[in-house]
Amino acid sequence: MREAGRAGKLPKFMELLMEMASYRPRFEEPDELEVAPRPVFLARGDAPMRIVGQCGISAVAGAHEFARFAVPFRGQRDVVALPVPGYRDGELLPAGPDAALGWQARTLLEAVGDNPFVIVGHSGGGLFAHALAYRLEQMGRVPAGVVLVDSYPLDQPVHSEWMDEFSDGMFEREDLSVPMNDVRLTAQAWYGLMFAQFHPREIQAPTLLVRASEPIGEWNLDGDWRASWRLAHEAVDVPGNHLTIMREHGETTAMAVARWLEQLG
């Protein structure tokens, strides 16, 4: 993958990864996962509203995405990271979006119990969070809110314009989070394939779009480079770029979300 990036062949390599991922074992029902990731509580507090961090789908995604974000909430409210199956040895990949969302919904509900909750997702995790909120609402459990942290709809030009920046940023953070390997790369490709046709649908839960205030590369196209969302939402700009908004600036991002939670009551 590194060499493909250097050679300008990253799109072609991603096609290869998707083909490789199609040979990995998959599950249809949550009970088929004998080895599955567990939710990780990063903060504890007495406030009834829990924050569920929907982990992203990049090769370096995981509960660590929300480590700094959780800091301001310690002693105030629970923050639990919800990992995605298929990123560790022995974990099956979901057969499709229904299987993925079915597992996420069941695991989330087990983690929050009867407490109200908001779902927070960064980048591709935000798209996952929105899809999960819709799934939960179909099950009769409406989230108190959904927070999209610098999430771009898949038809926005940033995905092609900044493909190299996204890839380079992932490698730069490899040593800071988890080691990159074939399991994680094929999982990223598989989830990317599943969400390639993702189209957000109206949800009852209020939505907050948290936008990075700095670009990650040069922007030579017409229109705004900042994240946008076509459905009803509020928006707030915070320091950092797409790659630093949840790490170096994670606590600042968390405080923006905290202020929004106060408005929700």
Side-chain angles (χ1 to χ4, degrees), residues 20-28 32-33 35 85-96 183 186-187 190-191:
M20 294 168 62
S22 70
Y23 292 100
R24 286 188 53 184
R26 299 184 289 277
F27 69 90
E28 293 279 359
E32 297 175 29
L33 273 77
V35 179
Y87 285 75
R88 298 185 304 171
D89 287 334
E91 292 180 357
L92 303 178
L93 286 171
V183 174
T186 52
W190 185 250
Y191 278 93

